[in-house]
Amino acid sequence: MELQAQEGRLITAAGPGRVLVATAVPVERDAVVAGLPAAQAGGEAGEAPLDVIAAGVGPASAAASTASALTAAALRGRPYGLVVSAGIGGGFQPDAPVGSLVVADEVVAADLGAETGDGFLPVTKLGFGTVRHRTPPELVRRVAEATGARAGAVLTVSTVTGTAARAAALRERHPTALAEAMEGFGVAEAAVAQGVPVLEIRAISNPVGPRDRDAWRIPDALAALTAGFGKLVPVLEGWNRHDR
């Protein structure tokens, strides 16, 4: 594979170019950076091939921070070729056990819509916007192969699920869902608005359902996130962004 030098670092000519990874909080950012080869990891939207930022909690903060980073990079003449939403999240049991990795084949805004007497209506049924973004299928396949992640829908929610009834309702509406988190759709909206493909990767820290802090395994999930990103760079380097 042809390689080219960029400010003393090697990146692949066939890969997506610069990659922006948007996490929610610093501990997730640090877990991602810990898994990366030193030459690949940037700081807060720096000059390395892969930059990792803590974009904030929730879809609004994630969208705003991601859009700002994308715009700043484009204005510097160093645009990103891929955006990755990454962090920990809840897993739908038994398909996404605690400590496992999930890669999104679609990013879904699960609670963007309206409650009615007949149940929940997504915003698309009201005639507005979108509630899902597809991720590049070939990239999803390669990530799953390299990291052992399961591929399925990752739901973005503004309120984390805390009951068995809500978990069942979400799974009924989204039968392919494997995980829920709070930022992916916001990151995807910002990326898609600027024509940049998006990916979402989640390490599972807890089951989706009743809130049981004793069942949470945040250190295990962060370790899985670190290990996953340790295997991710070669996948990104070998992926042609035009093969979506």
Side-chain angles (χ1 to χ4, degrees):
M1 181 178 294
E2 181 186 359
L3 297 174
Q4 62 186 30
Q6 183 173 41
E7 296 187 355
R9 303 179 178 91
L10 290 178
I11 63 172
T12 60
R18 299 183 66 230
V19 177
L20 176 65
V21 180
T23 66
V25 292
V27 69
E28 292 172 326
R29 178 195 62 204
D30 294 346
V32 169
V33 171
L36 299 173
Q40 292 289 339
E44 293 287 334
E47 297 301 320
L50 195 150
D51 293 324
V52 190
I53 64 172
V57 175
S61 290
S65 296
T66 302
S68 294
L70 288 170
T71 299
L75 289 174
R76 291 197 306 268
R78 293 175 54 78
Y80 293 105
L82 177 70
V83 177
V84 182
S85 177
I88 63 176
F92 287 95
Q93 303 303 301
D95 299 320
V98 172
S100 68
L101 282 177
V102 168
V103 57
D105 58 13
E106 58 179 356
V107 180
V108 181
D111 54 11
L112 183 60
E115 292 288 352
T116 75
D118 296 321
F120 178 79
L121 284 180
V123 73
T124 49
K125 295 291 186 182
L126 303 174
F128 305 105
T130 185
V131 294
R132 66 186 67 241
H133 293 294
R134 296 285 298 177
T135 52
E138 178 61 18
L139 180 57
V140 169
R141 184 189 67 78
R142 294 186 187 187
V143 169
E145 242 178 37
T147 65
R150 291 202 62 181
V154 175
L155 308 184
T156 299
V157 294
S158 294
T159 301
V160 173
T161 298
T163 67
R166 176 172 162 84
L170 286 174
R171 199 65 185 276
E172 183 177 358
R173 293 204 302 264
H174 308 283
T176 66
L178 293 179
E180 74 167 22
M182 300 182 74
E183 293 78 33
F185 191 78
V187 172
E189 286 277 89
V192 169
Q194 299 200 31
V196 182
V198 67
L199 188 69
E200 183 170 10
I201 297 172
R202 292 286 163 182
I204 304 304
S205 59
N206 57 276
V208 175
R211 288 177 66 80
D212 177 7
R213 292 298 298 267
D214 291 337
W216 291 12
R217 299 291 183 267
I218 291 177
D220 292 345
L222 292 172
L225 194 64
T226 298
F229 270 83
K231 301 170 183 175
L232 194 62
V233 169
V235 176
L236 297 181
E237 288 180 339
W239 174 64
N240 182 345
R241 66 164 291 182
H242 301 292
D243 181 13
R244 300 188 190 180

